[in-house]
């Protein structure tokens, strides 16, 4: 249960973290946000936040697009988040949501001459898409917002209306998720996740200039595929029909993690089951985020400062206490 939030400069009980209906961002969508995950490693009794500094760097970049002026650095935001998570005392997986927003209670659509605030809260979190091993998806009838109108490079609050249109249409039509095309008619991404396909052993994903979010999971998957699996990765445009003839396809993102796509528009992708490259990447990703791959420990920030007790030590302590 969420107990605290960072709000107006300090960590407070969640009930005290409230904004006025007059808040600029509530009226006009003039906010930006992030989404991070903390992974509980029961064996090590440690909570690991995945690529926390990279997430806050992107968070500040999103703020730049909205002319934000903040007196918090990415490092400050990391410290605040770790303190918040320690207060919550999670011993389970969680999701962390920082939001920057134009905080003034004024009428008037603009970005300049407005006070910026940051709030951060977290919540226990499991799966975002129920069937991670084989999601049935469609191509959306909506198009992705374009850099010429509402830059998808930033995680801007207002642009998630586009994501909500895409997601609800898909789910109400019986699909788990949708792939959305950009204004040029090429594949962009999912409603809130990046997209990959596999053809002839090559991993293919739209480039960052295809009107996608510069996903941190995307970047991580590219690195893992190249370094650990020796798979070639190509960033290039993808046509809708190319998805239908792909051998494998998957979504990735902080929320969805790695979700295999079983079918698109009622056409099975490959065998219609999770493909071998997707399976290997997914297994590796989960080992990495949970702190089971020492070579990628630099992507993880432990929340609990002391060296975490191992399961054996914790059990020994428990036994000693009982005896
Ligand atoms: N695209 C969109 C539109 C998203 O909202 C997200 C989730 N932040 C992603 C991609 C995946 O990005 P990341 O891996 O950084 O979470």
């Amino acid at each position: 249960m969420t107990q605290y939030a960072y709000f107006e400069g300090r960590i407070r009980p969640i009930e005290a973290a409230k904004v006025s209906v007059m808040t600029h961002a509530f009226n006009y969508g003039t906010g930006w946000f992030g989404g991070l995950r903390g992974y509980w490693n029961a064996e090590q009794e440690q909570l690991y936040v995945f690529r926390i500094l990279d997430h806050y760097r992107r968070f500040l970049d999103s703020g730049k697009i909205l002319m934000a002026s903040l007196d918090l650095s990415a490092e400050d935001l990391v410290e605040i988040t770790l303190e918040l998570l320690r207060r919550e005392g999670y011993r389970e997986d969680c999701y962390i949501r920082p939001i920057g927003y134009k905080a003034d209670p004024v009428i008037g659509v603009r970005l300049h001459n407005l006070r910026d605030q940051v709030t951060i809260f977290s919540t226990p979190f499991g799966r975002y898409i129920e069937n991670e091993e084989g999601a049935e998806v469609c191509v959306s009838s909506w198009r992705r917002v374009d850099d010429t109108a509402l830059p998808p490079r930033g995680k801007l609050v207002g642009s998630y209306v586009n994501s909500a249109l895409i997601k609800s249409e898909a789910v109400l039509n019986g699909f788990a998720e949708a792939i959305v095309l950009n204004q040029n008619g090429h594949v962009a991404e999912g409603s809130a996740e990046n997209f990959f396909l596999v053809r002839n052993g090559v991993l293919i994903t739209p480039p960052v200039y295809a009107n996608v979010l510069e996903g941190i999971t995307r970047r991580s998957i590219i690195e893992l595929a190249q370094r650990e699996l020796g798979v070639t990765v190509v960033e290039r445009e993808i046509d809708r029909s190319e998805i239908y003839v792909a051998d494998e396809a998957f979504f990735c993102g902080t929320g969805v993690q790695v979700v295999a796509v079983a079918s698109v528009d009622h056409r099975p992708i490959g065998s219609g089951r999770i493909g071998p490259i997707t399976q290997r990447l997914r297994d590796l990703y989960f080992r990495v985020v949970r702190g089971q791959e020492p070579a990628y420990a630099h992507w993880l920030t432990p929340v609990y400062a002391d060296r975490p007790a191992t399961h054996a030590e914790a059990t020994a302590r428990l036994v000693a206490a009982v005896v």
Side-chain angles (χ1 to χ4, degrees):
M1 211 180 62
T2 301
Q3 301 174 78
Y4 300 99
Y6 175 79
F7 181 72
E8 294 190 342
R10 58 186 177 85
I11 294 174
R12 303 163 192 266
I14 190 79
E15 305 79 45
K18 294 203 166 69
V19 294
S20 160
V21 291
M22 290 182 72
T23 304
H24 198 271
F26 182 68
N27 284 259
Y28 303 116
T30 47
W32 66 99
F33 66 104
L36 301 81
R37 269 191 190 258
Y39 285 94
W40 175 244
N41 182 320
E43 184 73 10
Q44 299 171 16
E45 303 229 315
Q46 183 59 276
L47 184 68
Y48 289 113
V49 184
F50 186 61
R51 302 194 74 162
I52 188 168
L53 193 57
D54 294 318
H55 273 280
Y56 279 119
R57 286 189 179 132
R58 186 182 65 194
F59 177 78
L60 293 179
D61 284 349
S62 293
K64 279 184 194 167
I65 297 174
L66 296 190
M67 305 177 81
S69 92
L70 292 176
D71 51 9
L72 292 166
S73 66
E75 288 76 11
D76 294 335
L77 292 163
V78 168
E79 282 315 311
I80 292 166
T81 302
L82 295 178
E83 180 54 32
L84 182 69
L85 295 176
R86 282 184 207 117
R87 294 262 198 113
E88 296 286 2
Y90 291 122
R91 295 172 64 82
E92 61 188 313
D93 295 350
C94 65
Y95 188 84
I96 304 137
R97 165 59 44 82
I99 310 173
Y101 59 102
K102 302 284 172 188
D104 287 303
V106 293
I107 297 295
V109 187
R110 62 175 192 271
L111 293 174
H112 63 285
N113 289 346
L114 290 167
R115 203 168 39 93
D116 296 293
Q117 282 284 6
V118 171
T119 182
I120 309 175
F121 66 89
S122 64
T123 182
F125 208 58
R127 288 187 172 202
Y128 182 78
I129 287 181
E130 210 37 58
N131 189 350
E132 293 188 346
E133 292 78 13
E136 303 197 325
V137 318
C138 60
V139 172
S140 182
S141 72
W142 296 97
R143 292 287 175 99
R144 190 81 183 106
V145 285
D146 192 89
D147 194 68
T148 55
L150 191 48
R153 171 167 286 104
K155 267 183 91 69
L156 310 183
V157 170
S159 69
Y160 277 74
V161 173
N162 180 233
S163 294
L165 289 166
I166 295 161
K167 181 76 177 187
S168 283
E169 179 193 53
V171 170
L172 297 176
N173 284 337
F175 298 98
E177 185 48 91
I179 295 160
V180 62
L181 307 181
N182 58 31
Q183 298 295 323
N184 301 328
H186 298 294
V187 171
E189 54 184 340
S191 68
E193 51 276 328
N194 290 110
F195 179 74
F196 283 82
L197 57 76
V198 178
R199 275 192 91 184
N200 304 319
V202 175
L203 199 54
I204 306 166
T205 194
V208 290
Y209 50 84
N211 286 295
V212 302
L213 183 77
E214 296 180 358
I216 289 160
T217 318
R218 173 186 180 279
R219 211 192 303 162
S220 309
I221 287 289
I222 291 174
E223 194 171 328
L224 291 173
Q226 289 172 330
R227 287 178 49 161
E228 304 301 326
L229 271 58
V231 168
T232 303
V233 181
V234 179
E235 296 179 51
R236 65 155 171 83
E237 284 174 337
I238 298 173
D239 291 330
R240 176 179 189 161
S241 64
E242 194 177 10
I243 309 171
Y244 299 160
V245 301
D247 303 318
E248 303 179 33
F250 63 87
F251 288 120
C252 73
T254 301
V256 299
Q257 310 179 103
V258 178
V259 167
V261 172
S263 70
V264 177
D265 295 339
H266 306 286
R267 293 156 176 87
I269 301 302
S271 64
R273 300 237 181 90
I274 186 165
I277 292 181
T278 309
Q279 181 79 65
R280 286 173 67 199
L281 274 171
R282 185 163 185 270
D283 291 347
L284 179 59
Y285 180 76
F286 280 119
R287 286 202 305 279
V288 166
V289 295
R290 235 174 256 290
Q292 293 158 339
E293 288 287 336
Y296 292 91
H298 58 285
W299 280 353
L300 305 179
T301 303
V303 170
Y304 302 117
D306 297 339
R307 186 184 71 80
T310 62
H311 184 66
E313 285 168 344
T315 310
R317 272 211 303 267
L318 206 67
V319 169
V322 173
V323 171

